[in-house]
């Protein structure tokens, strides 16, 4: 096993990429806060960058939990340079913040599909905050209320697939949809169903069930002709912080090995 792979499997902590203020001691204790945003939380997002102004608007509206803001921003920062598509689909999206960040901050992306079985009220608050600072955002976004199994009815081939804490087997369904669409996929898995997942029991025993399940997912993508990368967001946000990023290779390159780096 390479040093890079060992580091990932050991889950060495990753500093904040986007919200770098949380790398300081002053901010560190607040990173795992699970309370709903309050107006006073705007102080944690200083500066006049569009992302900071947007975060302050989220605070003004009490749109969601503090933890979800940190998680969404850092996932976006982790995967944004791996997404090379004019459209993305944020599956099991809930409040839709990750997809909204792509619509707001990525000029090359002109369509964002947000898909979930139920559209929560929090989405309206998040979109209103985005519109207040980036009026071009809403025109890129379509919110589809549909079960995950109906994804292919609403998403075009080549659309990059995002899945942030798509619980349990829903992450595996995101992978299936990405393969069917020949699309890049970026995932932040959670709530892995240890006993029910078909990954080998011997790997679950030796590596731990969470790692074994993600190894199994990696091989599934590799078998479908994907280059796979493992990354992570800061563990101070969530212990379920591993990010899986898969990109379909050109047909001639399908023999390349998946990498964990």
């Amino acid at each position: 096993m390479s040093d890079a792979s060992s580091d990932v499997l050991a889950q060495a902590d990753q500093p904040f990429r986007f919200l770098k203020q949380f790398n300081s001691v002053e901010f560190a204790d607040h990173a795992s806060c699970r309370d709903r945003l309050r107006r006073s939380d705007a102080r944690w997002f200083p500066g006049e960058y569009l992302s900071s102004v947007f975060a302050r608007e989220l605070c003004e509206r009490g749109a969601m939990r503090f933890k979800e803001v940190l998680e969404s921003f850092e996932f976006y920062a982790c995967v944004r340079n791996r997404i090379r598509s004019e459209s993305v689909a944020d599956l099991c999206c809930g409040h839709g913040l990750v997809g909204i960040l792509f619509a707001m901050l990525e000029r090359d992306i002109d369509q964002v599909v947000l898909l979930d079985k139920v559209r929560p009220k929090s989405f309206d608050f998040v979109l209103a905050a985005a519109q207040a600072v980036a009026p071009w955002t809403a025109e890129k976004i379509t919110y589809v209320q549909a079960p995950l199994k109906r994804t292919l009815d609403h998403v075009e081939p080549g659309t990059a697939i995002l899945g942030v804490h798509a619980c349990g087997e829903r992450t595996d369904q995101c992978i299936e949809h990405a393969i069917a669409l020949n699309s890049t996929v970026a995932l932040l898995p959670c709530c892995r169903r240890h006993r029910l997942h078909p990954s080998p029991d011997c790997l679950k025993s030796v590596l731990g069930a969470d790692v074994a399940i993600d190894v199994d997912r990696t091989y599934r993508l590799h078998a479908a002709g994907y280059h796979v990368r493992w990354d992570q967001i800061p563990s101070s946000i969530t212990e379920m912080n591993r990010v899986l990023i898969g990109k379909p290779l050109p047909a001639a390159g399908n023999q390349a090995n998946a990498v964990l780096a």
Side-chain angles (χ1 to χ4, degrees), residues 103-241:
M104 177 188 296
L105 299 174
E106 297 299 318
R107 294 183 179 181
D108 292 338
I109 289 177
D110 55 25
Q111 182 180 24
V112 175
V113 176
L114 305 177
L115 185 143
D116 212 331
K117 194 172 183 179
V118 177
R119 171 173 159 168
K121 184 64 177 177
S122 57
F123 166 73
D124 297 323
F125 293 124
V126 176
L127 185 61
Q131 280 295 95
V133 300
W136 60 85
T137 303
E139 66 188 27
K140 297 183 178 183
I141 291 173
T142 302
Y143 201 113
V144 176
Q145 295 187 80
L148 183 59
K149 66 183 179 181
R150 298 292 301 275
T151 295
L152 300 184
D153 295 338
H154 303 282
V155 178
E156 297 294 326
T159 299
I161 297 297
L162 310 175
V164 179
H165 283 182
C167 292
E169 64 184 13
R170 293 180 181 87
T171 290
D172 299 290
Q173 292 177 51
C174 289
I175 291 173
E176 292 171 8
H177 293 322
I179 292 172
L181 294 166
N182 194 38
S183 300
T184 298
V185 60
L187 305 162
L188 183 67
C190 75
C191 304
R192 299 166 182 84
R193 303 178 72 181
H194 293 175
R195 293 184 179 180
L196 297 179
H197 196 277
S199 56
D201 287 338
C202 63
L203 292 183
K204 292 177 184 176
S205 176
V206 173
L207 299 177
D210 286 351
V211 172
I213 289 170
D214 287 344
V215 166
D216 183 75
R217 290 164 170 165
T218 298
Y219 272 103
R220 197 181 326 154
L221 283 164
H222 173 52
Y226 276 68
H227 176 281
V228 184
R229 177 184 178 88
W230 284 22
D231 209 323
Q232 57 187 347
I233 65 171
S235 61
S236 55
I237 302 174
T238 174
E239 293 181 355
M240 292 180 285
N241 66 329

